[in-house]
């Protein structure tokens, strides 16, 4: 029973485009109307009708500690009592900048902003200024937020809604972005052969999360590193999802490839709006007020976002938070559900990286890029999603997204989740 959700959706629909403030939330990719969430605690979220769900959306990534972690909440309350915004610098910003630079190898200096979109938009501007070039190379199915330059063959909501090249982006701007197949080294080589002295930057999600989970191969990422270095372009890692998700720091540590600029968001804000971009001192010195690349924000480095982010990062450094455990649990879970699908005779490819995974409904052997991801049967995913919901599990409401485990998922939660997934699959 979801009558309160239905009533709220009807009210919201009258006053907000599609009834939402971010398109994928409208459930258009899976059918039906969205569930309105009232609250969350640990591994669970609760809707406005009193239904409870084990949460595998994790707010699209940030909630690696689970919802309303008491230490994060206490940090937020303490910060709120001291004032919520000053538009002036605060100690928490310095602490956060120090923590990020210590944890992520490519960061010598960092600028804190309000979202992943803002971080990437500013990183692209910075790369263009540093190289004095205009062209950006991205990859099909990677999503880097909704700034004009990057809404070209993008993933996430735009892929889901079939508008990877958004209306309203001037052709002249889109023409400065080339999108290549992900994990395709020959395509990268040809692009550099064709455009070399025009390329300002290659931007990539080292593990794509926005066409569903798809790992960038080490060879592919290494080729991007080498080609950009030899050709005077910059390599930007969009680690908005991967940062602090697979280990304490960036995914760049795990694969041992250091980009020139790193973009962060999600986990570093502990569930509050935040983003960051940074890199070598030489590059970051171009950012105003030191240099001529303008970027600013009234709420940048906001005290509440800093408090939640610092508390989250501090907890993640404690011995009780072992990323290997989280990965092992996620791997085991994916293996089990692969078995359930096989028993039911449903063809599925499950891509898993660390604590992130996606079930692609496809007869294909593997999903390694957007072309193979797009072969997935999105209607079948929609049916699966609704069966999961009916069994108390909240997965991403779209095929081209990642599901996440959090440290709050206990063994008992996982056992319950497996039971729910099994029932959902059996009822398909
Ligand atoms: N762009 C997000 C998914 N990758 C969706 C954000 C939201 O709807 O909250």
């Amino acid at each position: 029973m979801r009558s309160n959700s239905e009533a709220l959706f009807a009210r919201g629909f009258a006053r907000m485009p599609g009834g939402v403030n971010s398109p994928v939330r409208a459930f258009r990719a899976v059918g039906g109307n969205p569930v309105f969430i009232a609250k969350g605690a640990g591994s669970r979220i609760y809707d406005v009708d009193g239904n409870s769900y084990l949460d595998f959306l994790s707010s699209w990534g940030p909630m690696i500690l689970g919802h309303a972690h008491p230490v994060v909440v206490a940090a937020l309350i303490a910060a709120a009592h001291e004032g919520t915004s000053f538009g002036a610098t605060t100690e928490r910003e310095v602490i956060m900048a120090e923590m990020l630079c210590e944890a992520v190898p490519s960061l010598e200096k960092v600028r804190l902003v309000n979202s992943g979109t803002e971080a990437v938009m500013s990183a692209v501007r910075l790369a263009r200024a540093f190289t004095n070039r205009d062209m950006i190379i991205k990859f099909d199915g990677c999503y880097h937020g909704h700034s004009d330059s990057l809404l070209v063959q993008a993933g996430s909501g735009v892929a889901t809604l079939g508008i990877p090249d958004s209306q309203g982006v001037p052709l002249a701007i889109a023409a400065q972005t080339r999108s290549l197949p992900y994990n395709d080294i020959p395509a990268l080589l040809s692009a550099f052969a064709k455009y070399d002295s025009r390329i300002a930057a290659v931007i990539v999600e080292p593990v794509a999360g926005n066409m569903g989970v798809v790992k960038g191969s080490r060879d592919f990422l290494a080729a991007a590193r080498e080609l950009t270095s030899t050709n005077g372009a910059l390599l930007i890692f969009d680690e908005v999802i991967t940062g602090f998700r697979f280990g304490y720091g960036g995914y760049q540590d795990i694969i041992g490839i250091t980009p020139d600029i790193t973009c962060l968001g999600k986990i570093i804000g502990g569930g509050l709006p935040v983003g960051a971009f940074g890199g070598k001192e030489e590059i970051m010195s171009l950012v105003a007020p030191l240099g001529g690349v303008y970027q600013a924000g009234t709420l940048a480095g906001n005290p509440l976002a800093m408090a939640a982010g610092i508390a989250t990062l501090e907890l993640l450094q404690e011995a009780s938070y072992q990323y290997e455990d989280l990965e092992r649990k996620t791997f085991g879970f994916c293996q089990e559900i692969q078995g359930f699908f096989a028993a039911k005779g449903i063809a599925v490819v499950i891509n898993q990286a660390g604590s992130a995974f996606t079930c692609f409904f496809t007869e294909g052997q593997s999903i390694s890029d957007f072309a193979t991801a797009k072969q997935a049967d999105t209607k079948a995913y929609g049916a699966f999603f609704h069966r999961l919901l009916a069994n108390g599990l909240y997965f991403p409401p779209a095929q081209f997204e990642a599901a996440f485990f959090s440290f709050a998922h206990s063994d008992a939660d996982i056992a319950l989740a497996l039971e729910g997934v099994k029932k959902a699959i059996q009822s398909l």
Side-chain angles (χ1 to χ4, degrees), residues 55-67 209-210 239-246 265-272 312 316 323 326 355-356 396 401-407 409:
D55 181 28
F56 289 90
L57 180 68
S58 193
S59 181
W60 309 94
M63 309 315 298
I64 193 166
L65 297 174
H67 296 279
N210 291 291
E239 295 231 39
V240 169
I241 290 179
T242 56
F244 297 87
R245 165 57 60 186
F246 300 111
K266 301 203 190 272
I267 288 177
I268 65 162
L272 272 83
T312 298
L316 289 174
Y323 282 94
L326 202 54
S355 53
E401 302 285 354
F404 297 101
F405 264 76
S406 79
F407 283 110
H409 287 91

Side-chain angles (χ1 to χ4, degrees), residues 5 63 69 73 80 85 100 136 194 217 232 236 276 285 302 313 329 335 348 351 371 390 398 406 419:
S5 275
M63 309 315 298
H69 190 290
V73 172
S85 183
L100 296 180
I136 302 296
K194 195 164 170 195
S217 77
I236 305 175
S285 305
N302 173 265
L313 296 186
K329 282 182 182 174
Q335 293 281 100
V348 158
N351 275 7
S406 79
E419 228 174 87

Side-chain angles (χ1 to χ4, degrees), residues 219-235:
D219 286 350
F220 166 67
L221 297 169
R225 174 64 286 177
E226 198 186 320
L227 284 164
T228 44
S229 299
T230 10
N231 289 279
L234 298 186
L235 178 63

Side-chain angles (χ1 to χ4, degrees), residues 20-26 60:
V20 292
N21 286 306
S22 190
V24 198
R25 297 180 196 176
W60 309 94

Side-chain angles (χ1 to χ4, degrees), residues 85-90 93 297-300 303:
S85 183
F86 306 110
T89 45
T90 64
E93 292 164 76
T298 298
L299 294 171

